[in-house]
Coordinates of all heavy atoms in Angstrom, one line a residue:
V1 N -5.0 -4.6 -4.1 CA -6.3 -4.2 -4.4 C -6.3 -2.9 -5.3 O -5.4 -2.1 -5.1 CB -7.0 -3.7 -3.0 CG1 -8.3 -3.1 -3.3 CG2 -7.1 -4.9 -2.1
E2 N -7.2 -2.8 -6.2 CA -7.3 -1.6 -7.1 C -8.8 -1.4 -7.3 O -9.5 -2.3 -7.7 CB -6.6 -1.8 -8.4 CG -6.7 -0.5 -9.2 CD -5.8 -0.5 -10.5 OE1 -5.0 -1.5 -10.6 OE2 -6.0 0.3 -11.4
K3 N -9.2 -0.2 -6.9 CA -10.6 0.1 -7.1 C -10.9 1.5 -7.3 O -9.9 2.4 -6.9 CB -11.5 -0.3 -5.8 CG -11.0 0.4 -4.5 CD -11.7 -0.1 -3.2 CE -13.2 0.1 -3.3 NZ -13.9 -0.3 -2.0
T4 N -12.0 1.9 -7.9 CA -12.4 3.4 -8.1 C -13.5 3.7 -7.3 O -14.6 2.9 -7.4 CB -12.6 3.6 -9.6 OG1 -11.4 3.2 -10.4 CG2 -12.9 5.0 -9.9
T5 N -13.5 4.7 -6.6 CA -14.6 5.2 -5.8 C -15.4 6.3 -6.6 O -15.1 6.7 -7.6 CB -14.1 5.9 -4.5 OG1 -13.0 6.7 -4.8 CG2 -13.7 4.8 -3.5
P6 N -16.7 6.5 -6.2 CA -17.7 7.4 -6.9 C -17.1 8.8 -7.3 O -17.5 9.4 -8.2 CB -18.9 7.4 -6.0 CG -18.9 6.1 -5.3 CD -17.4 5.9 -5.1
D7 N -16.2 9.2 -6.5 CA -15.6 10.6 -6.8 C -14.6 10.4 -8.0 O -14.0 11.5 -8.3 CB -15.0 11.2 -5.6 CG -13.9 10.4 -4.9 OD1 -13.4 9.4 -5.5 OD2 -13.3 10.9 -4.0
G8 N -14.3 9.3 -8.5 CA -13.4 9.2 -9.6 C -12.0 8.8 -9.1 O -11.1 8.6 -9.9
T9 N -11.8 8.7 -7.8 CA -10.4 8.5 -7.3 C -10.1 6.9 -7.5 O -10.8 6.1 -7.2 CB -10.2 8.8 -5.8 OG1 -10.6 10.2 -5.7 CG2 -8.9 8.6 -5.3
V10 N -8.9 6.7 -8.0 CA -8.4 5.3 -8.1 C -7.5 4.9 -7.0 O -6.6 5.7 -6.7 CB -7.6 5.1 -9.5 CG1 -7.1 3.7 -9.6 CG2 -8.4 5.4 -10.7
H11 N -7.8 3.9 -6.3 CA -7.2 3.5 -5.0 C -6.3 2.2 -5.4 O -6.9 1.3 -5.8 CB -8.2 3.2 -3.9 CG -9.0 4.3 -3.6 ND1 -8.7 5.4 -2.6 CD2 -10.2 4.9 -4.2 CE1 -9.6 6.2 -2.6 NE2 -10.6 5.9 -3.4
K12 N -5.0 2.3 -5.1 CA -4.2 1.1 -5.3 C -3.5 0.8 -3.9 O -3.0 1.6 -3.3 CB -3.2 1.3 -6.4 CG -3.7 1.5 -7.7 CD -2.6 1.7 -8.8 CE -3.3 1.9 -10.2 NZ -2.2 2.0 -11.3
L13 N -3.5 -0.6 -3.6 CA -3.0 -0.9 -2.3 C -2.0 -2.1 -2.6 O -2.4 -3.1 -3.2 CB -4.0 -1.3 -1.4 CG -3.7 -1.6 0.1 CD1 -3.5 -0.3 0.8 CD2 -4.7 -2.5 0.7
W14 N -0.8 -2.0 -2.1 CA 0.1 -3.0 -2.1 C 0.5 -3.5 -0.8 O 0.7 -2.8 0.1 CB 1.4 -2.6 -2.8 CG 1.4 -2.4 -4.2 CD1 1.8 -3.1 -5.2 CD2 1.2 -1.1 -4.9 NE1 1.6 -2.5 -6.4 CE2 1.3 -1.2 -6.2 CE3 0.7 0.1 -4.3 CZ2 1.0 -0.2 -7.1 CZ3 0.4 1.1 -5.2 CH2 0.5 1.0 -6.5
R15 N 0.4 -4.9 -0.5 CA 0.8 -5.5 0.7 C 2.3 -5.7 0.8 O 2.8 -6.2 -0.1 CB 0.0 -6.9 0.9 CG 0.4 -7.5 2.3 CD -0.5 -8.8 2.3 NE -0.2 -9.5 3.5 CZ 0.8 -10.3 3.7 NH1 1.7 -10.6 2.7 NH2 1.1 -10.9 5.0
A16 N 3.0 -5.3 1.8 CA 4.5 -5.3 2.0 C 4.8 -6.0 3.3 O 4.6 -5.4 4.3 CB 5.1 -4.0 1.9
A17 N 5.2 -7.4 3.2 CA 5.4 -8.1 4.4 C 6.9 -8.3 4.7 O 7.3 -9.0 5.6 CB 4.8 -9.4 4.3
S18 N 7.8 -7.6 4.0 CA 9.2 -7.8 4.2 C 9.6 -7.2 5.6 O 9.5 -6.2 5.9 CB 9.9 -7.0 3.1 OG 11.3 -6.9 3.5
A19 N 10.2 -8.2 6.4 CA 10.7 -7.8 7.7 C 11.8 -6.8 7.5 O 12.0 -5.9 8.4 CB 11.1 -9.1 8.4
E20 N 12.5 -6.9 6.4 CA 13.6 -5.9 6.3 C 13.1 -4.5 6.1 O 13.6 -3.5 6.6 CB 14.5 -6.3 5.0 CG 15.6 -5.3 4.9 CD 16.4 -5.8 3.7 OE1 16.1 -6.7 2.9 OE2 17.5 -5.1 3.3
L21 N 12.1 -4.4 5.2 CA 11.4 -3.1 5.0 C 10.8 -2.6 6.2 O 11.0 -1.3 6.5 CB 10.3 -3.2 3.8 CG 9.4 -2.0 3.7 CD1 10.2 -0.9 3.2 CD2 8.3 -2.4 2.7
I22 N 10.1 -3.3 7.0 CA 9.4 -2.9 8.2 C 10.5 -2.4 9.2 O 10.3 -1.4 9.9 CB 8.5 -4.0 8.8 CG1 7.3 -4.3 7.9 CG2 8.1 -3.5 10.1 CD1 6.4 -5.4 8.2
G23 N 11.6 -3.2 9.2 CA 12.7 -2.8 10.1 C 13.3 -1.4 9.7 O 13.6 -0.5 10.7
K24 N 13.5 -1.2 8.5 CA 14.1 0.1 8.0 C 13.1 1.2 8.3 O 13.5 2.3 8.6 CB 14.3 0.0 6.5 CG 15.5 -0.9 6.2 CD 15.9 -1.0 4.7 CE 17.1 -1.8 4.5 NZ 17.5 -1.9 3.0
L25 N 11.8 1.0 8.1 CA 10.8 2.0 8.4 C 10.9 2.4 9.8 O 10.8 3.6 10.3 CB 9.4 1.6 8.0 CG 9.1 1.5 6.5 CD1 7.7 0.7 6.2 CD2 9.0 2.8 5.9
R26 N 11.0 1.3 10.7 CA 11.0 1.7 12.2 C 12.2 2.4 12.5 O 12.1 3.6 13.3 CB 11.2 0.3 12.9 CG 9.9 -0.5 13.1 CD 10.2 -1.7 14.0 NE 9.2 -2.5 14.2 CZ 9.3 -3.8 14.8 NH1 10.5 -4.2 15.2 NH2 8.2 -4.5 15.0
T27 N 13.3 2.1 12.0 CA 14.6 2.9 12.3 C 14.5 4.4 11.8 O 14.9 5.3 12.5 CB 15.8 2.2 11.6 OG1 15.9 0.9 12.1 CG2 17.1 3.0 11.9

């Protein structure tokens, strides 16, 4: 997702479904 809100902020969102990444974050 990429969108700009009225205050001029650009918002970018990446979906990350890697079980390895989530596991490392948990640890």
Side-chain angles (χ1 to χ4, degrees):
V1 175
E2 182 171 346
K3 62 186 295 184
T4 302
T5 44
D7 63 359
T9 302
V10 178
H11 304 265
K12 295 183 179 182
L13 189 79
W14 289 264
R15 181 177 178 276
S18 164
E20 181 181 5
L21 170 62
I22 295 172
K24 288 181 177 179
L25 287 170
R26 280 183 181 172
T27 300

